Amino acid sequence: MPHLKVTSFDTSIIKDKVAHSTVMTSFATSLTSSDMVIGVEHKDEEFLLQLKPDEKAYLLKYDKVTRPLKVNILKEALGLVSEELGLEVLSSNIALSPTKAALSSKYFKKIEDFENMDYPKKKVSVEVGFGSGRHLLYQAEKNPDTLFIGLEIHTPSAQQVLKQIELQGIDNIWVVNYDARLFLEMLPSNLCTQIFVHFPVPWDKKPQRRVISKSFLAESMRVLEKEGRLELRTDSDNYFWYALETFFSVPKTQVEVRKNEALEVTSKYEARWLRQEKDIYDVYVKCMSDSAPKEGAIDFNFNGVKYTKAIESRLPKKALVYEGYFVHFERIFKVSETSLFIKCAFGSFDRPEHKYILLEEDGCRYFVSQPVKTTVNLHAHQKLAEQLMLAEG
């Protein structure tokens, strides 16, 4: 991802530069390390850049939690910040590629867009972790009456599929650069005809990170229409047996299993596995009934929370664990004498949220965006607000 390596410099100049900058909005230093963050606003995107010093050079790079999807925006921001600070660049990978086809934002959807979404097709299908996008693009071309929502946390893959959508003139795909386990809770009940989960990462050493779980199954059944189905395809024996155990752990389910069934389209990885004569398993879980509408408004405001003197010293240092979720104030960055950036992790253990909180004298908010509106995130948010209130002193 984009970054600059620059010679060491006096970082005390940054605050003065921010006051007159066209791109920088804030500057904060870590209370527990030498790391720093720079707030940036560029082309209607708000995000952070990280500044990491060492003995020989400084690294100016993107912040994983707040980064925008479009890499060129990051590259431009890094270049502008470097120019405004007068930095001496030792190495860089921020060269822009103006000859490449521009990404079509029309088909890129943010997670927040789904809070009040109108769907342009009567049928909706979801593909989780589309990778190269071959299956997603094929299905969309074959089924023009269906909207396909492709979910992919690997940003370069999301970018490549957005380019293919534009180049091939496909108009029934939306790309979402987000964790599918959180995304499904944003969808209304009985919306989808199919949910594809093809070749998910097995995570044999970290099974808690697997996409397939009891909670994912429950959300899938809620989102699917009656007779709709969840489709798992995997080359992993361990994942196959784990999935079967998960699917059969619920009181009532209808499961179909197939082995080494050839699909009309295969990914390059699947083609490689087939040449190696690996077994491929398909597991289909059918939704057997309609689900009740999704209910309940979720409020992520920090009503009444504000910065008070030395509040940072009174926040819990360790993660707080509750039944089904946790909250953790991971790192604190001081913006000014009366404001902080607080990096937090919270939510469920197998699908945590990572967010920054901007805490100021006149209020508190998530930076840059609010968490996904799930029930477990609401419980975690309430605990975050409670701990902040307790720390006000």
Side-chain angles (χ1 to χ4, degrees), residues 8-218:
S8 302
F9 68 102
D10 181 5
T11 58
S12 66
I13 67 169
I14 299 179
K15 284 191 176 181
D16 291 335
K17 295 288 186 179
V18 166
H20 305 93
S21 173
T22 61
V23 62
M24 293 183 289
T25 58
S26 59
F27 172 64
T29 55
S30 171
L31 297 181
T32 55
S33 73
S34 57
D35 291 354
M36 295 156 271
V37 292
I38 299 173
V40 168
E41 189 171 342
H42 182 55
K43 291 188 174 178
D44 298 324
E45 295 276 7
E46 192 178 21
F47 51 97
L48 294 174
L49 299 178
Q50 294 184 3
L51 184 61
K52 294 180 171 289
D54 62 29
E55 294 180 359
K56 297 181 179 179
Y58 282 15
L59 184 66
L60 184 62
K61 57 176 285 189
Y62 75 101
D63 173 73
K64 185 176 181 180
V65 173
T66 61
R67 73 179 188 270
L69 176 66
K70 295 183 180 179
V71 176
N72 272 3
I73 289 180
L74 278 173
K75 291 180 176 180
E76 291 169 359
L78 284 165
L80 290 168
V81 169
S82 173
E83 183 179 336
E84 290 187 351
L85 295 177
L87 304 181
E88 182 181 344
V89 178
L90 299 174
S91 62
S92 153
N93 70 343
I94 65 168
L96 302 178
S97 304
T99 59
K100 292 184 179 180
L103 294 182
S104 175
S105 61
K106 179 180 178 181
Y107 302 107
F108 167 60
K109 302 298 180 183
K110 294 184 179 180
I111 191 71
E112 297 86 355
D113 296 336
F114 290 87
E115 292 181 13
N116 295 288
M117 178 65 78
D118 292 323
Y119 297 89
K121 305 283 186 179
K122 290 185 178 179
K123 295 181 180 180
V124 178
S125 290
V126 171
E127 179 161 353
V128 175
F130 55 71
S132 67
R134 285 187 187 179
H135 180 265
L136 180 67
L137 294 163
Y138 172 82
Q139 289 289 344
E141 187 175 11
K142 183 182 176 182
N143 301 282
D145 62 337
T146 302
L147 171 69
F148 287 86
I149 303 175
L151 303 167
E152 179 56 65
I153 60 172
H154 184 237
T155 303
S157 295
Q159 292 171 322
Q160 288 301 318
V161 167
L162 281 169
K163 290 177 183 178
Q164 288 302 313
I165 290 170
E166 182 176 298
L167 292 172
Q168 297 181 33
I170 298 173
D171 66 356
N172 59 328
I173 294 178
W174 289 347
V175 171
V176 183
N177 184 219
Y178 211 82
D179 189 329
R181 298 171 298 177
L182 292 167
F183 172 80
L184 285 186
E185 286 201 46
M186 302 296 290
L187 299 181
S189 300
N190 313 307
L191 174 72
C192 297
T193 58
Q194 294 168 299
I195 298 175
F196 300 101
V197 184
H198 285 190
F199 302 104
V201 178
W203 291 114
D204 289 335
K205 295 183 179 180
K206 297 181 179 179
Q208 73 276 9
R209 299 192 65 179
R210 288 171 174 163
V211 171
I212 299 297
S213 67
K214 290 181 180 180
S215 60
F216 181 82
L217 175 63

Side-chain angles (χ1 to χ4, degrees), residues 299-324:
D299 182 1
F300 283 130
N301 291 318
F302 290 94
N303 298 317
V305 176
K306 59 184 179 180
Y307 179 86
T308 57
K309 187 176 181 181
I311 189 175
E312 55 270 26
S313 65
R314 297 187 291 272
L315 289 172
K317 303 296 189 294
K318 296 182 179 180
L320 303 176
V321 179
Y322 304 93
E323 185 175 354

Side-chain angles (χ1 to χ4, degrees), residues 111-112 115 178 182 186 298-302 346-347 352-357 365-374 376-378 380-381 384:
I111 191 71
E112 297 86 355
E115 292 181 13
Y178 211 82
L182 292 167
M186 302 296 290
I298 292 180
D299 182 1
F300 283 130
N301 291 318
F302 290 94
F346 55 92
E353 282 270 10
H354 299 273
K355 291 288 180 182
Y356 283 90
I357 293 172
R365 68 178 175 94
Y366 286 106
F367 182 97
V368 178
S369 59
Q370 292 189 344
V372 179
K373 291 188 174 181
T374 63
V376 70
N377 283 348
L378 176 61
H381 165 79
L384 288 172

Side-chain angles (χ1 to χ4, degrees), residues 329-376:
F329 297 98
E330 292 184 313
R331 302 187 69 181
I332 300 176
F333 294 85
K334 198 164 188 68
V335 182
S336 70
E337 291 302 315
T338 58
S339 59
L340 304 171
F341 276 130
I342 305 173
K343 186 178 181 182
C344 301
F346 55 92
S348 66
F349 303 105
D350 63 339
R351 49 183 182 181
E353 282 270 10
H354 299 273
K355 291 288 180 182
Y356 283 90
I357 293 172
L358 178 58
L359 181 63
E360 300 176 296
E361 268 188 320
D362 57 354
C364 182
R365 68 178 175 94
Y366 286 106
F367 182 97
V368 178
S369 59
Q370 292 189 344
V372 179
K373 291 188 174 181
T374 63
T375 303
V376 70

